Amino acid sequence: MARVTLDTVNKIYPSRHGPVHAVQDLDITIEDGEFVAVLGPSGCGKTSTLRMIVGLETITGGTIRFDDRPVNELTPEQRNVAMAFETYALYPNFTIAENLGFPLEVRGVDRKAREAEVLRVARLLRIEDILGHKPAHLSGGQQQRVSLGRALIRDPAVFILDEVMSHLDAHLKLQMLFELKRIHQSMGKTMVYVTHDQMEALALADRVAVMSNARLQQFGTRDELYHAPANRFVADFIGEPPTNFFDAEVTETAGEIALAVPGTDLAFTTSPARVAALRNRGGKRAIVGIRPQNLFITPLDDAGSVTATVALNEYLGEQSILTFDDKGVSFRALAPPDADAKTGATVAVRYRPADVMVFDTDTEALVA
Amino acid sequence: MSVDQLPLPAAALDDAGRAAAGPYPDWFSKRRRGRSLIVNPLVPAVMVGLPVLVIIAIVIYPTVWMFYHAFHDTNMMSLFTRNWQAVGWDNFALVLSSDRFADSVLHLLRYLLFGACLQVLLGTALAQILYEVVQSNALRIVLLIVMVLPMMLPPSIVGVLWKFLLQADNGAFNHLLIKLGMLAPTDRIEWLDADLALWSLIIADVWQWTALPLLIVYSGRVSLPPAIYEAARVDGASRWLVLRRITLPMLKEIIAIAFIIRFMDAYKFVDKVYVMTAGGPAQRSELPVFIAFQKGIREFQVGEAAAYAIIIFVVAAILITLFLQYLKRVLKAQGIA
Ligand SMILES: Nc1ncnc2c1ncn2[C@@H]1O[C@H](COP(=O)(O)OP(=O)(O)OP(=O)(O)O)[C@@H](O)[C@H]1O
Ligand SMILES: [Mg+2]
């Protein structure tokens, strides 16, 4: 069991085309027993971060601590971490059972106990029918579960799981997410889970660290990420479909601050707290962000709404995604499938001022 | 743009501006079509016929000749007078029942066991050390080159070299032992004499050929995926366990192939024997191939030499068949064939 602290951690890879700064000034504290997801687009430095925590990669700058002990110089074995690799890294000459049992074999667990454990983990991951096979003969999803199982069979201080569900079908993924959550709850071990799928991250994690371009963008609970994204990137990355953004002008009429989108009829008001923050900040321009989930179609002539023309109505079964077009500015809203919004119709769209997020035009940080 | 509108490469246009067949040199594009060399039907016949004749002359005819004389009492005299008698399987019986042959087979086994096996074992160990222990890439390359150098020398030269080194009276090897105090200054080790002769051959051969299995196993080790070694580190496996459970099992086919290659070479080992000991003393370092050579080329006991050759050939054919079957299984297991 361990609390994992990353203190201004940096990773710079030397390469033929010059140094690659893969992780930059990362500050994260993962509490003991916490389930943390690291979420970010491909190439943002997630795997590099994990490899430094595990001890497979030297730390270029900064300190990693397990509880209060710096582990920079310790081997993976001394750190006592279990890792499931993004590339599976299964032992090709072993059967699946041997692969799963290898961490126990290393620890001198006798054959009987080992087999029982292997069977337990295999059942959990639904791979008990392929225990006698060699890895080369398995599908990507099967290999991935074996790799996950080889980590879960251990009893380490920290579990490090690198994109362990990326090759599973949606149905299986849901089952595995559930199993993983249950394992975490019953073992109470610190888990770090890397993914670029926000659904996985939000479903599993107590807190999510969002990374982009080698930097931490925000580290918080799902609510914090959703309702108070630290910057435009997080607002864009979290939530599906992505947030609508508008370049807006800050206008003040009769003491009321509004955010008008130039060249259109669109104008938004925001919550009193944000209005105050906007006043504080000053400046003429801002970026308005509003999630498609927070836009509702209402009858025309409804006060506090904006009007827009439906350019596209995508029917997705439980919901429709409406794409509006207002004089060249397009944005999207979610609507019930029976909403009366044919392509070309003009409708009123309503929002709650509290859902209108405002970002600084230059820094793209949340104005709050 | 359609295909024939694509610009042609510059060389595709000859002097007259006509498109030639392709970017060929001038003389080729300008050769007269239809009136080239291939106009005479004799040309293909000669071009195929000559090599066939050569093969008949240097492979098929001698082989047939050998099989023929294996069943005759051909020797220098009868070869000269061209009157040899059929003797059935006598030559084979003679060879198989002779102590000389039996001894040479024992020598060969000893040579294979301690020569070829030692080379493969040493080569594997060195490859592992080179990969795991030596950290600097530059040093690795230098070491590889140094170890591979002996392989570039002709085996007969290596034989001469080691014959010098192992001279009893003023050879460098004895001198070194004396300097190191491992040998009394008045003592001599007769490296090329009596029981030691075969061992000296083995030493010289190991010196020359250990680098081959080393190279083969090293390249095999390099191609193992690094990720599984990271997984093993995270799993906490010791170096020894990793070597025993992962590296060696994954390299075993490659090691076997290195052994097969060394085995095939060792089987026809004759050059160093010839140069260093000439099979002696008293035939104590003879190998079957060397006897065949002695009998045939030196003593002109052609019938007996042919029997030797055929026995050697048959055993080789059986072994090669087994090896090929093993290879096929390996390749199949790895999904290559
Ligand atoms: N060994 C290396 N040498 C040089 N550059 C590297 C090395 N490993 C990673 N990088 C670079 O560091 C950056 C971050 O890589 P990393 O593997 O951490 O990304 P990631 O967030 O895990 O991406 P993905 O989601 O695709 O797995 C990338 O730009 C990558 O090219
Ligand atoms: Mg990665």
Side-chain angles (χ1 to χ4, degrees):
Chain A
M1 294 259 224
R3 182 178 75 237
V4 179
T5 316
L6 280 73
D7 187 358
T8 47
V9 167
N10 279 274
K11 178 71 204 179
I12 299 174
Y13 292 106
S15 87
R16 219 172 296 155
H17 320 285
V20 179
H21 209 146
V23 176
Q24 216 169 335
D25 296 332
L26 200 57
D27 276 309
I28 295 182
T29 301
I30 300 164
E31 295 302 333
D32 187 11
E34 196 176 17
F35 197 132
V36 164
V38 180
L39 180 64
S42 190
C44 70
K46 305 183 295 291
T47 300
S48 305
T49 307
L50 289 197
R51 289 171 60 85
M52 284 190 287
I53 298 177
V54 174
L56 290 173
E57 208 72 71
T58 55
I59 300 163
T60 314
T63 317
I64 294 181
R65 291 191 200 86
F66 281 18
D67 291 329
D68 287 317
R69 190 168 59 127
V71 294
N72 286 32
E73 306 302 327
L74 300 189
T75 63
E77 189 188 353
Q78 291 166 325
R79 297 184 198 192
N80 190 21
V81 289
M83 178 170 189
F85 288 80
E86 187 176 8
T87 53
Y88 319 147
L90 301 179
Y91 307 117
N93 56 320
F94 288 2
T95 62
I96 297 313
E98 284 177 304
N99 260 290
L100 288 172
F102 191 66
L104 302 181
E105 185 183 332
V106 167
R107 281 162 187 75
V109 176
D110 70 80
R111 178 176 289 272
K112 261 226 146 67
R114 216 157 71 204
E115 279 168 3
E117 272 298 279
V118 166
L119 202 61
R120 180 184 68 82
V121 170
R123 288 227 174 86
L124 222 59
L125 298 170
R126 318 238 147 81
I127 45 177
E128 65 268 35
D129 50 334
I130 52 167
L131 284 178
H133 292 234
K134 291 272 174 81
H137 300 153
L138 301 186
S139 76
Q142 288 170 327
Q143 294 187 34
Q144 195 158 42
R145 277 175 287 160
V146 176
S147 154
L148 175 59
R150 193 176 56 186
L152 292 182
I153 205 166
R154 288 181 52 189
D155 184 24
V158 181
F159 283 105
I160 304 283
L161 309 176
D162 195 354
E163 299 197 15
V164 290
M165 311 243 174
S166 57
H167 277 95
L168 306 186
D169 61 84
H171 183 69
L172 191 57
K173 189 187 274 189
L174 232 71
Q175 290 180 335
M176 293 295 121
L177 288 176
F178 174 74
E179 292 292 356
L180 196 59
K181 188 84 193 164
R182 229 175 34 112
I183 290 170
H184 174 249
Q185 274 163 359
S186 66
M187 291 182 85
K189 288 288 160 77
T190 312
M191 281 197 185
V192 184
Y193 181 98
V194 156
T195 175
H196 46 218
D197 179 343
Q198 49 168 308
M199 187 275 279
E200 287 171 32
L202 298 177
L204 284 172
D206 300 322
R207 283 191 295 168
V208 179
V210 182
M211 286 182 74
S212 162
N213 280 327
R215 285 178 168 282
L216 181 67
Q217 303 296 325
Q218 188 170 9
F219 184 36
T221 63
R222 141 201 191 126
D223 275 353
E224 286 164 350
L225 295 180
Y226 199 81
H227 296 295
N231 54 37
R232 180 181 167 156
F233 173 82
V234 178
D236 195 22
F237 198 70
I238 304 285
E240 182 61 40
T243 304
N244 300 303
F245 292 102
F246 308 92
D247 275 318
E249 265 171 8
V250 184
T251 57
E252 185 158 3
T253 39
E256 292 281 313
I257 281 206
L259 295 146
V261 184
T264 70
D265 303 330
L266 294 173
F268 298 94
T269 56
T270 182
S271 69
R274 290 198 177 125
V275 167
L278 263 176
R279 274 222 174 79
N280 244 337
R281 187 196 65 136
K284 287 245 171 300
R285 303 192 65 85
I287 299 169
V288 169
I290 184 156
R291 297 187 184 280
Q293 289 86 344
N294 296 334
L295 291 173
F296 312 95
I297 302 182
T298 58
L300 281 170
D301 73 10
D302 185 355
S305 65
V306 293
T307 53
T309 313
V310 179
L312 192 64
N313 186 337
E314 293 166 84
Y315 173 66
L316 294 183
E318 286 152 43
Q319 277 176 319
S320 293
I321 299 180
L322 303 181
T323 305
F324 299 100
D325 189 79
D326 191 341
K327 303 198 174 78
V329 176
S330 70
F331 61 98
R332 294 194 276 194
L334 282 185
D338 54 355
D340 180 23
K342 292 202 180 55
T343 303
T346 300
V347 295
V349 180
R350 190 171 178 74
Y351 62 90
R352 290 194 302 261
D355 292 328
V356 175
M357 303 176 281
V358 184
F359 302 95
D360 190 277
T361 312
D362 301 319
T363 64
E364 299 198 340
L366 186 72
V367 176
Chain B
M1 187 155 70
S2 77
V3 177
D4 45 22
Q5 282 173 312
L6 287 169
L8 285 162
L13 293 177
D14 64 11
D15 297 342
R18 287 169 309 199
Y24 302 116
D26 236 21
W27 61 266
F28 190 85
S29 307
K30 281 187 185 161
R31 78 198 192 285
R32 285 170 299 170
R33 271 157 208 280
R35 294 188 58 199
S36 54
L37 274 175
I38 307 186
V39 81
N40 190 336
L42 229 85
V43 171
V46 168
M47 289 178 81
V48 176
L50 266 182
V52 169
L53 280 179
V54 169
I55 286 172
I56 288 175
I58 67 171
V59 178
I60 297 179
Y61 174 69
T63 308
V64 172
W65 195 86
M66 179 185 76
F67 271 91
Y68 173 80
H69 285 285
F71 297 94
H72 291 80
D73 65 345
T74 320
N75 57 25
M76 180 126 72
M77 279 302 291
S78 54
L79 205 58
F80 211 68
T81 57
R82 305 194 64 80
N83 107 61
W84 45 72
Q85 309 293 320
V87 291
W89 293 89
D90 279 8
N91 282 328
F92 292 92
L94 190 67
V95 169
L96 291 174
S97 64
S98 74
D99 285 347
R100 192 176 176 188
F101 177 73
D103 281 347
S104 75
V105 170
L106 286 181
H107 296 156
L108 177 63
L109 288 179
R110 189 140 41 120
Y111 175 72
L112 287 176
L113 198 65
F114 293 100
C117 289
L118 193 63
Q119 286 164 19
V120 173
L121 280 180
L122 267 180
T124 305
L126 286 174
Q128 184 67 15
I129 290 171
L130 202 61
Y131 190 86
E132 301 265 346
V133 182
V134 179
Q135 295 295 330
S136 140
N137 232 337
L139 182 60
R140 222 178 258 164
I141 291 169
V142 170
L143 285 176
L144 261 180
I145 291 174
V146 168
M147 288 191 280
V148 165
L149 274 179
M151 250 173 21
M152 321 270 271
L153 300 172
S156 48
I157 303 289
V158 173
V160 173
L161 197 74
W162 276 89
K163 196 175 174 180
F164 273 120
L165 291 176
L166 294 174
Q167 286 297 327
D169 281 327
N170 37 27
F173 218 73
N174 275 349
H175 197 69
L176 180 74
L177 290 180
I178 292 169
K179 274 268 152 115
L180 290 176
M182 293 162 82
L183 197 65
T186 51
D187 268 359
R188 298 280 178 272
I189 296 181
E190 299 282 348
W191 290 105
L192 298 171
D193 212 13
D195 286 335
L196 283 180
L198 187 66
W199 292 109
S200 298
L201 284 174
I202 289 175
I203 291 173
D205 208 47
V206 166
W207 179 80
Q208 182 169 24
W209 287 112
T210 295
L212 188 68
L214 162 76
L215 272 184
I216 295 173
V217 175
Y218 183 78
S219 61
R221 178 65 188 81
V222 168
S223 65
L224 294 184
I228 61 175
Y229 287 91
E230 292 183 339
R233 274 177 72 196
V234 174
D235 284 343
S238 67
R239 276 191 164 196
W240 166 240
L241 189 70
V242 170
L243 180 69
R244 189 167 58 84
R245 288 283 277 135
I246 298 174
T247 306
L248 288 181
M250 293 214 291
L251 288 178
K252 73 172 187 289
E253 286 88 5
I254 283 212
I255 294 174
I257 287 168
F259 179 76
I260 290 172
I261 291 175
R262 280 315 300 146
F263 179 91
M264 294 196 298
D265 224 21
Y267 190 77
K268 60 182 167 66
F269 183 61
V270 76
D271 29 36
K272 285 200 197 72
V273 182
Y274 184 73
V275 173
M276 286 175 69
T277 69
Q283 303 167 355
R284 304 228 5 211
S285 60
E286 274 187 338
L287 300 175
V289 180
F290 186 73
I291 302 178
F293 164 73
Q294 278 283 352
K295 289 266 178 202
I297 309 293
R298 283 293 153 91
E299 302 165 14
F300 281 95
Q301 297 289 346
V302 175
E304 208 182 328
Y308 262 105
I310 288 170
I311 291 168
I312 291 166
F313 166 77
V314 168
V315 174
I318 292 171
L319 290 176
I320 292 292
T321 311
L322 293 178
F323 286 156
L324 285 183
Q325 249 158 21
Y326 174 78
L327 259 184
K328 216 164 155 185
R329 222 182 56 215
V330 168
L331 292 181
K332 197 167 249 162
Q334 308 209 329
I336 299 171

